[in-house]
Amino acid sequence: MPRLAAASLAGTAIEFYDFSAYGTAAALVLGPLFFPTFSPLAGALAAFGTFAVGFVARPLGSMLFGHVGDRYGRRPVLVVSLLLTGAATVAVGCVPSYASIGVAAPVLLLVLRFLQGLGLGGEWGGAVLLTAEHAPAERRALWSSFPPVGGAVGFVLANGVMLGLSAGLSQAQFASWGWRVPFWAAGVLALVGLWLRSSLTESPRFLEIDDHARVPLVEVFVRHWRRLLLTAGALAAGYAVFYTVTTWSLAYATERLGVSRTVMLTCVMTAVVVQGALTPLAAHLGDRFGRRPLCMTGCAATVLWMFPAVALLATGEPLPMFAGVLGALLAFTLMFAAIGAYLPELYEPRVRCTGAAVGYNLGGVLGGALTPVVATALAEGSGQVPWGVAAYLAVVALVSLGCFALLPETRPVAAVREVAARGVTG
């Protein structure tokens, strides 16, 4: 399990590095370079619009790669999705600006962002399922938390590179070529990821399936449509919180508050490091007390924290901003730490890759795709403190709380009894 978890973590880190690098670039530099004829606000909205395209593509990727995972195995999904995402990311770094090729520049950006999302849509289902289906039942949430930790690692890597370039280059150099370097580095990282994943074995649960679904997507929509919709609604809040904190807040702090890129990136990165480090601990709580109670606690914490978080962010001071970001990410951690075990357990093995991945990525569309755009628009019409952003996130969290309440608990009964027996016997 440690070797498998490490390989899954590393591969997921590389794919989320690709996805996160684009989000940071969209917040910092893509508007003026690819939409120069727009006003500053319209340019920011357009850049975040290309960011949203990746989320729209993710459910399509989960349908495509979910079919492969349920029909032919979880392992092939990991290889193809990594190749697709890595190639698209390197290509983003090579797209000329609007000044060089005109309207073709943002069009190419949209196409490549779509391909990024397509690859990442397959990544989560393959990596989490391969880990979850190897893991012992009583530690499934713990082991399944390592791919999500990879997401935090990828974010820190991408933003660490951006931070170093932003601090070491002039504004003109960063806008000219510096922002492209993290995208070019994705090619090397993708090759490393392929090497790490070459030794992984196929999921034992997949090998035990005698009757594979002919068209998994149709079966999921016909037999599990209610669970799929509830899953998407339940996960929307986590996505909304994470991308508000890690994408919108960068643009808001640097453009509206005059905070330097270096200071804001440092605040967000440090908070993500803490969040990633605490994810396995929170997942352990999901093994001990149940998946659903942990997720519902995270939703409730989001509702309570969003207004203080936005007020702290609006101060423009590093320590208060860090506190606001960290609190929001800790609430996100409670919502998502056990999801790697929870979602696969909601679906039978024959359609598990499709059901879990499609539900997860539909939640991304609902909560992550338009959140930076909505938050930017709400903040523009507000006063000194963007209370509209806090209200929006609180409402989304309340909806997710209701969806989690309607989903069943899935912690394996046998595992519960085993843990209880160990407690009695010492």
Side-chain angles (χ1 to χ4, degrees), residues 54 114 134 190-191 194 243 259 265 330 336 345 357 366 384 408 419:
F114 182 86
H134 274 90
L191 293 176
L194 290 172
Y243 286 102
V259 178
L265 279 172
L330 292 181
F336 268 50
E345 290 168 351
L366 293 177
Q384 183 177 355
V419 171

Side-chain angles (χ1 to χ4, degrees), residues 10-34:
T12 306
I14 292 165
E15 292 218 41
F16 273 85
Y17 166 93
D18 298 349
F19 209 71
S20 298
Y22 192 99
T24 304
L28 297 179
V29 75
L30 294 188
L33 287 177
F34 289 89

Side-chain angles (χ1 to χ4, degrees), residues 190-209:
L191 293 176
V192 173
L194 290 172
W195 174 72
L196 288 170
R197 288 184 166 180
S198 63
S199 62
L200 296 181
T201 58
E202 186 52 77
S203 158
R205 292 294 292 136
F206 175 80
L207 297 175
E208 292 170 2
I209 300 172

Side-chain angles (χ1 to χ4, degrees), residues 46-67:
F48 283 138
T50 64
F51 175 78
V53 167
F55 283 95
V56 174
R58 283 174 65 166
L60 299 177
S62 64
M63 295 174 191
L64 172 65
F65 288 107
H67 181 88

